[in-house]
Amino acid sequence: MYCPPAFAESRPDVMAALIRAHPLGLLITHGPDGMTANPLPLQLTDTGCLRAHLARANPQIRDLETGAPVLVVFQGEQSYISPEWYATKAETGKVVPTWNYLMVQARGTPRLIADADWLRGQVDALTRQMENDRPEPWQVSDAPEKYINAQLRGIIGMEIDITDMRGKWKAGQNKAPADRAGVAQALAPSHPALADAALSTGTT
């Protein structure tokens, strides 16, 4: 990933927070047929690994079976940035549009898991993570047990031991404070995390 030093984010807790807030990652593998990419909801554990499950019919499993390193991309908030939001536009006019975004890329070694108890635990944990904030959270046990068991037979688990994790917070760190403030004001209603990043990072 191309990442100028001004945009680099290396704090583990900040990157972990983005993954947990935006758990749909893009799993990228390389196999005999070339590159393959599929979106998957993934959990980041406290021990630093990613867990997920795939449909057994997914051909990407063949790539994962080799144990070759994989790349997972997590995309946080992102937005087009209009030159109209920069204070510099009124001063010199020397501005152009850009795109701001928050992103984490994780690399690691995958391992497939067929154990039924592991799969049930992973599905339960993912469901709790996604339902936790709802007034009446749905639970896996709300569905008929036979139905859940049938669904579990159609998936296989995956665990990725993360060997490298890098963040890119492209939030205007290379802009003047007044320009960052203008961007933050424009983004605050629709992209609060991106607006906060514009104010909390960069040169002074």
Side-chain angles (χ1 to χ4, degrees), residues 39-67:
L40 290 175
L42 294 106
Q43 297 169 274
L44 177 64
T45 71
D46 292 337
T47 58
C49 71
L50 294 167
R51 290 177 178 166
H53 60 268
L54 302 84
R56 285 184 176 272
N58 189 331
Q60 193 171 26
I61 289 174
R62 293 196 296 270
D63 294 349
L64 297 168
E65 287 174 335
T66 69

Side-chain angles (χ1 to χ4, degrees), residues 6 8-9 11 14 102 169-177 180-181 183-184 192-204:
E9 176 55 74
R11 292 171 292 178
V14 173
L102 312 179
W169 262 232
K170 185 180 179 296
Q173 297 93 324
N174 57 338
K175 303 297 183 183
R180 296 205 313 275
V183 168
L194 204 54
D196 289 345
L199 293 176
S200 63
T201 58
T203 57
T204 56

Side-chain angles (χ1 to χ4, degrees), residues 83-107:
E84 294 289 342
W85 301 341
Y86 292 136
T88 299
K89 178 183 179 293
E91 298 168 359
T92 67
K94 296 179 179 180
V95 291
V96 293
T98 189
W99 210 283
N100 283 3
Y101 52 88
L102 312 179
M103 174 186 291
V104 172
Q105 293 189 2
R107 289 174 168 79

Side-chain angles (χ1 to χ4, degrees), residues 120-164:
R120 178 60 183 259
Q122 194 273 326
V123 170
D124 278 336
L126 180 61
T127 300
R128 287 195 302 272
Q129 176 180 322
M130 303 312 300
E131 290 279 337
N132 187 53
D133 293 334
R134 296 177 59 81
E136 297 182 10
W138 183 86
Q139 303 176 62
V140 175
S141 59
D142 290 344
E145 189 67 17
K146 288 185 178 179
Y147 173 78
I148 293 299
N149 289 337
Q151 296 296 305
L152 291 175
R153 288 194 291 272
I155 62 176
I156 190 166
M158 178 189 67
E159 190 168 76
I160 300 171
D161 291 320
I162 298 175
T163 57
D164 182 70

